[in-house]
Amino acid sequence: MSVEILITAAELQRRLREDKPPVLLDVRWALGDHDGHQHFLDGHLPGAVYVDLETELAASGSPAGGRHPLPELGALEASARRWGINSDSAIVIYDAVANVSAARAWWLLRWGGLADVRMLDGGIGAWERAGGPLQNGESTPLPGNVVITGGHMPVLDIDAAARMPTTGLLLDARAGERYRGEVEPIDPRAGHIPGALSAPTAENLAVDGTFLDPGALRARFSALGVRAGGEVGVYCGSGVSAAHEIAALELAGFGAALYPGSWSQWSSDPQRPVAT
């Protein structure tokens, strides 16, 4: 049975009128922007709950583990219950950056064992363009009872990521200039993991911030050498935009493993080689 990954703004408007609407999660985060909660308070989808990527979708960062290591199961379960998620909840996640940050929550909840998890295609911008209302202020839902089990999406550690170019494909979801080593705004060294291929997340998107259709995504990844049944790993700076790439790969009919430590972990280890 196929798993739905996206929901349109029009479909979400219909779903929110149902007797049991989906839980809405607002992951208003972007690299260098520390005002996500304020953006949420200024205007969010009615009933949405704010999710803090730095503290709820990641454990504390370190050079050894990367900037956004996966959270502990118990911590993720406690957060999901605070968000009001029950064992039978449908979940819709959105952000203001074309789902690049929302995809982290999408991937984590799928990894945690939840199946009915979708992203609002086009994010809050698509909602507003469709005439959807916003509300401001805080949201405090009733606590949920969901159980998070973990291990339901494939993961690579640093050694598996190093081997991936010899056994399959390793895709680098960062911008091309970071892959090439021309710039590095945040991590210790510039460049990429040797053997990795450049596949910027931005190229998964149409001009309006929605995902390209599955056929276009399949053509994109096929041109990079992705094949059905082949091994594929994805990394980025810290395991956030790589989750977006995994969603795009799934839309195209492919599977992929996430390397959560990503470049922030790799570049912090002086023993790991760097290509430019």
Side-chain angles (χ1 to χ4, degrees), residues 125-168:
W127 175 262
E128 291 185 277
R129 290 193 297 273
L134 298 179
Q135 70 179 43
N136 53 27
E138 199 57 86
S139 295
T140 306
L142 293 173
N145 60 15
V146 70
V147 174
I148 301 292
T149 53
H152 299 272
M153 295 282 274
V155 176
L156 301 177
D157 63 16
I158 192 168
D159 292 324
R163 293 190 298 269
M164 184 58 75
T166 64
T167 61

Side-chain angles (χ1 to χ4, degrees), residues 148-194:
I148 301 292
T149 53
H152 299 272
M153 295 282 274
V155 176
L156 301 177
D157 63 16
I158 192 168
D159 292 324
R163 293 190 298 269
M164 184 58 75
T166 64
T167 61
L169 294 175
L170 183 63
L171 304 182
D172 185 320
R174 298 173 301 159
E177 58 268 24
R178 289 185 71 189
Y179 169 87
R180 294 188 295 271
E182 297 165 0
V183 299
E184 182 45 62
I186 192 166
D187 291 318
R189 293 186 287 166
H192 61 268
I193 297 173

Side-chain angles (χ1 to χ4, degrees), residues 155-259:
V155 176
L156 301 177
D157 63 16
I158 192 168
D159 292 324
R163 293 190 298 269
M164 184 58 75
T166 64
T167 61
L169 294 175
L170 183 63
L171 304 182
D172 185 320
R174 298 173 301 159
E177 58 268 24
R178 289 185 71 189
Y179 169 87
R180 294 188 295 271
E182 297 165 0
V183 299
E184 182 45 62
I186 192 166
D187 291 318
R189 293 186 287 166
H192 61 268
I193 297 173
L197 302 177
S198 181
T201 293
E203 295 179 16
N204 298 326
L205 298 167
V207 293
D208 63 356
T210 58
F211 279 87
L212 296 174
D213 68 74
L217 289 170
R218 190 170 185 85
R220 182 200 179 198
F221 291 120
S222 295
L224 288 166
V226 178
R227 299 290 181 265
E231 291 187 3
V232 181
V234 186
Y235 75 95
C236 57
S238 64
V240 175
S241 62
H244 188 282
E245 189 111 295
I246 289 172
L249 282 157
E250 286 204 9
L251 287 167
F254 303 118
L258 175 71
Y259 169 30

Side-chain angles (χ1 to χ4, degrees), residues 4-271:
E4 294 289 337
I5 295 172
L6 302 175
I7 187 171
T8 66
E11 183 181 355
L12 180 57
Q13 288 182 2
R14 292 193 296 272
R15 292 287 304 276
L16 291 177
R17 292 193 291 267
E18 295 176 354
D19 291 338
K20 191 173 183 180
V23 174
L24 296 180
L25 304 182
D26 183 310
V27 188
R28 211 76 66 86
W29 179 91
L31 190 63
D33 183 353
H34 303 291
D35 297 323
H37 191 211
Q38 187 58 54
H39 298 323
F40 168 84
L41 294 174
D42 290 341
H44 55 265
L45 272 64
V49 180
Y50 177 68
V51 174
D52 189 313
L53 186 145
E54 297 282 351
T55 63
E56 296 183 300
L57 302 181
S60 296
S62 68
R67 281 185 279 114
H68 294 120
L70 299 187
E72 295 294 330
L73 278 178
L76 180 59
E77 181 176 279
S79 294
R81 290 181 176 189
R82 183 189 72 78
W83 304 331
I85 298 177
N86 293 307
S87 57
D88 60 347
S89 292
I91 303 150
V92 174
I93 311 167
Y94 70 91
D95 60 22
V97 288
N99 282 311
V100 172
S101 53
R104 172 72 175 211
W106 167 83
W107 185 93
L108 267 178
L109 291 175
R110 289 274 307 279
W111 172 80
L114 305 186
D116 194 355
V117 186
R118 293 200 260 178
M119 291 177 284
L120 173 58
D121 199 13
I124 194 170
W127 175 262
E128 291 185 277
R129 290 193 297 273
L134 298 179
Q135 70 179 43
N136 53 27
E138 199 57 86
S139 295
T140 306
L142 293 173
N145 60 15
V146 70
V147 174
I148 301 292
T149 53
H152 299 272
M153 295 282 274
V155 176
L156 301 177
D157 63 16
I158 192 168
D159 292 324
R163 293 190 298 269
M164 184 58 75
T166 64
T167 61
L169 294 175
L170 183 63
L171 304 182
D172 185 320
R174 298 173 301 159
E177 58 268 24
R178 289 185 71 189
Y179 169 87
R180 294 188 295 271
E182 297 165 0
V183 299
E184 182 45 62
I186 192 166
D187 291 318
R189 293 186 287 166
H192 61 268
I193 297 173
L197 302 177
S198 181
T201 293
E203 295 179 16
N204 298 326
L205 298 167
V207 293
D208 63 356
T210 58
F211 279 87
L212 296 174
D213 68 74
L217 289 170
R218 190 170 185 85
R220 182 200 179 198
F221 291 120
S222 295
L224 288 166
V226 178
R227 299 290 181 265
E231 291 187 3
V232 181
V234 186
Y235 75 95
C236 57
S238 64
V240 175
S241 62
H244 188 282
E245 189 111 295
I246 289 172
L249 282 157
E250 286 204 9
L251 287 167
F254 303 118
L258 175 71
Y259 169 30
S262 283
W263 188 246
S264 59
Q265 181 187 42
W266 185 281
S267 62
S268 296
D269 184 346
Q271 303 302 313

